[in-house]
Amino acid sequence: MRQPAGRSARRSGGERKPREERWAELIEVATQVFYEKGYDGASLQDIADRLGMLKGSLYYYIQSKEDLLFDVISSVHKDGLAVIRARAGVEGPPLFRLRSVIVGHVEHTCRNLVPTAVFLHELSALPLERRVEVLGSEHAYQGVFRDLIESAQQAGDVRSDLDPRLAALSVLGSTNWVYRWFRPGGSFTPEQIGAELAELTIRGIATEQGLGTV
């Protein structure tokens, strides 16, 4: 069973670890409480009450509220990163794969609004060293976009005057903002939003040659 990210070195190897189902429930409930009340406004008592357990029982799983936020944030980041890495690994030219990554990122965001909101709102509540631990020193999530843009640029498919890092930040900034205005059951589906944002992005950075690859 996966050892939760914030629990390293807390218990000896011989002690019983929490059941995976209970840990998953804790993460889900904590995510919802942080979403509703914000990290500063939420308490471990709130989370324990929602789970129907004593507050003291939470300390079997975590050492502090900060540890729990770290585990929530890590879980959100890990899930999203798995989605875009899978999309980046499809066959095809880098610009084609970038389109796939953008669509996947947007669709994942639309279908995970609460975890996304907690990640984007509360990441800054963690100390810097713990934020780096989540994101990776090279910002792994951003790096998927940057590497594809850089590869497409080297192939002559993206304009040479663009900085890949700035372009990646621009793409992430615009696509991340979807969580603020998307409404399930509204006028636009996640698929429509992903496709249109990908189209706008690709047409904004691609050369004529690059447009022929997507």
Side-chain angles (χ1 to χ4, degrees), residues 201-213:
T201 297
I202 297 302
R203 290 196 171 275
I205 68 174
T207 61
E208 285 297 321
Q209 172 185 300
L211 289 176
T213 69

Side-chain angles (χ1 to χ4, degrees), residues 71-114:
D71 285 322
V72 166
I73 293 292
S74 295
S75 178
V76 176
H77 184 264
K78 179 182 177 182
D79 289 347
L81 187 58
V83 168
I84 64 169
R85 279 179 168 167
R87 290 278 188 144
V90 300
E91 293 292 328
L95 208 53
F96 173 82
R97 289 185 285 135
L98 177 64
R99 179 191 289 276
S100 178
V101 165
I102 294 170
V103 170
H105 173 63
V106 171
E107 291 181 2
H108 181 74
T109 296
C110 290
R111 295 189 174 105
N112 295 274
L113 294 177
V114 169

